[in-house]
Amino acid sequence: MSVESVEQSFDTVLVVDFGAQYAQLIARRVRECHVFSEIVPSTMPVAEMLAKRPKAIILSGGPASVYEPGAPPVPDGLFKAGVPTLGICYGFQAMARELGGMVANSDIAEYGRTDLTVVDEGTLLAGLPAEQSVWMSHRVTCSAPPAGFMVTARTASAPVAAMEDPARRLYGVQFHPEVMHTEHGLTVLRHFLAAAGCRPSWTMVNIVEESVEAVRSQVGDKRAICALSGGVDSAVAAALVQRAIGSQLTCVFVDHGLLRKGEALQVEKDFVAATGVDLKVVDASSRFLSALDGVTDPEEKRKIIGREFIRVFEESAREIVDAHGEAVEFLVQGTLYPDVVESGGGTGAANIKSHHNVGGLPEDLKFSLVEPLRTLFKDEVRRLGEELGLPSEIVWRQPFPGPGLGIRIIGAVTRERLDLLREADAIAREELTRAGLDRDIWQFPVVLLADVRSVGVQGDGRTYGHPVVLRPVTSEDAMTADWARLPNEVLQRISTRITNEVAEINRVVVDITSKPPGTIEWE
Ligand code: XMP
């Protein structure tokens, strides 16, 4: 699905990015309202923005203050373009300043939850309570709106906390409607989208149809290959491409032997059953194990696993190319929108995801990329997977690192240690599911401290076994994380079962470190 093709069938909202983390959240919320949104840098000329035929524009918040030297300006001519525009936080201040309002550094900063008083409902606050809680983060305050604007809300220290000019369809809010702490934030965004005339027509059913068409026209009658990792992104990408071009797609699943219990089988059986995909399974576990023999350094393990993966994939790709001749032109990748935004929105080959281990293919194996998920966020990819009928075990799978259990064994990786860890990990996952907590937990690594032994007692005997570490975390994006407060009874069941059922593990400990300072994985 190219961004261009989406624009033709759906209304598009451009989110002008003054600071990436804000822009992504705004874009996601707009999409929750079933309107397609695309993030563009604030340096993009207005003519280029208008070429995307936006139905509305949102100016994001950002870390700068409008008075700082080098603060990013509003793109020249934007307010004259006649496109309904909403400014948020920094975007609001930049709008107020640009159009002649009074904006100044304030003695009192507002950070966090703040009480907002509606003075005139206007369009954005229509039907909302006179007093409500919003999320603020600013030092600069607007004290008088530009000519033509009416003030719709204030706070104790911001005389203009929301304003609008209905004639020009320009709107501004000092608070962040995109964050969950703003009580009625989503309604405010909905009101803006409605005022701008955006249709809520961006739905999963439409996305599937649209993407299938886009893949068909890109690939034509040529062949494509896709490396399945067992993770959700590659699975959804493959399922979508399969729906578009059927048996012209061949998937390769390299089983490196470092997956969790049952996962390889899930790809081989359930995924194939759900999609009918043509799958080539390569059991390369012995090869990976011998390459990892005696290696304890985490980065060394990663390098070896990455290298072996490329080699195995390359060999299989070559076999498929040989079998089908010149016509294998495309490589399917599960690149997601955050990767596209964070790498500057670039297209094509430069974007191959190195950590998915299919970067670095040799020169003579050149493919064009098919990236059907490059406009989607992770949660949208999961919903798309459901729409495509994939098993929920695959769609809702926790993020899992490419090097797999190889970096969850502290010490050298052996088949026996992998088997131990797989059993302990399976118990932890089973109990989490049984407690109905799967979707509350971002990731739940179980880590085997293979070089540590401690004394225990089981039955009448002394044991001298290994500990495992439970590392359940909550997170939004894996950049930061907190240790998950699992209920004690769940922890207890996991501990009892692991020590009873997995010989050689006689101790279970819980990691209560946030990220930072810890990372999610132990290696
Ligand atoms: P850390 O441990 O850095 O992990 O907090 C952040 C996220 O990245 C995943 N991770 C990896 N994913 N290859 C991957 O594909 C890797 O080498 C790798 N290392 C960590 C980790 O599981 C978490 O989601």
Side-chain angles (χ1 to χ4, degrees), residues 18 22 26 58-66 86-97 103 110-111 135-142 160-163 171-179:
F18 290 111
Y22 302 90
I26 296 168
I58 298 181
L59 307 178
S60 85
S65 149
V66 278
L86 168 66
I88 293 175
C89 195
Y90 180 88
F92 155 78
Q93 293 162 4
M95 172 188 271
R97 187 168 181 227
V103 182
E110 283 178 316
Y111 291 110
W135 193 258
M136 290 282 204
S137 173
H138 69 113
R139 260 203 165 277
V140 171
T141 297
C142 174
V160 186
M163 64 179 190
Y171 309 83
V173 291
Q174 176 62 75
F175 57 88
H176 286 276
E178 75 277 19
V179 308

Side-chain angles (χ1 to χ4, degrees), residues 312-323:
V312 176
F313 182 71
E314 181 196 321
E315 285 166 19
S316 327
R318 220 179 272 284
E319 282 169 25
I320 296 166
V321 170
D322 287 345

Side-chain angles (χ1 to χ4, degrees), residues 72-85:
V74 174
D76 207 21
L78 187 120
F79 297 123
K80 294 207 180 83
V83 181
T85 300

Side-chain angles (χ1 to χ4, degrees), residues 148 164-171:
E164 53 191 63
D165 177 349
R168 284 187 285 174
R169 290 198 288 179
L170 298 179
Y171 309 83

Side-chain angles (χ1 to χ4, degrees), residues 302 355-356 399-403 407-408 442-443 478-479 515 518-523:
R302 276 198 173 75
H355 73 248
H356 266 201
F400 189 64
I407 54 164
R408 291 183 180 173
W442 169 266
Q443 262 178 293
M479 302 293 285
K515 172 184 179 176
T519 48
I520 294 175
E521 305 290 348
W522 268 47
E523 288 201 329

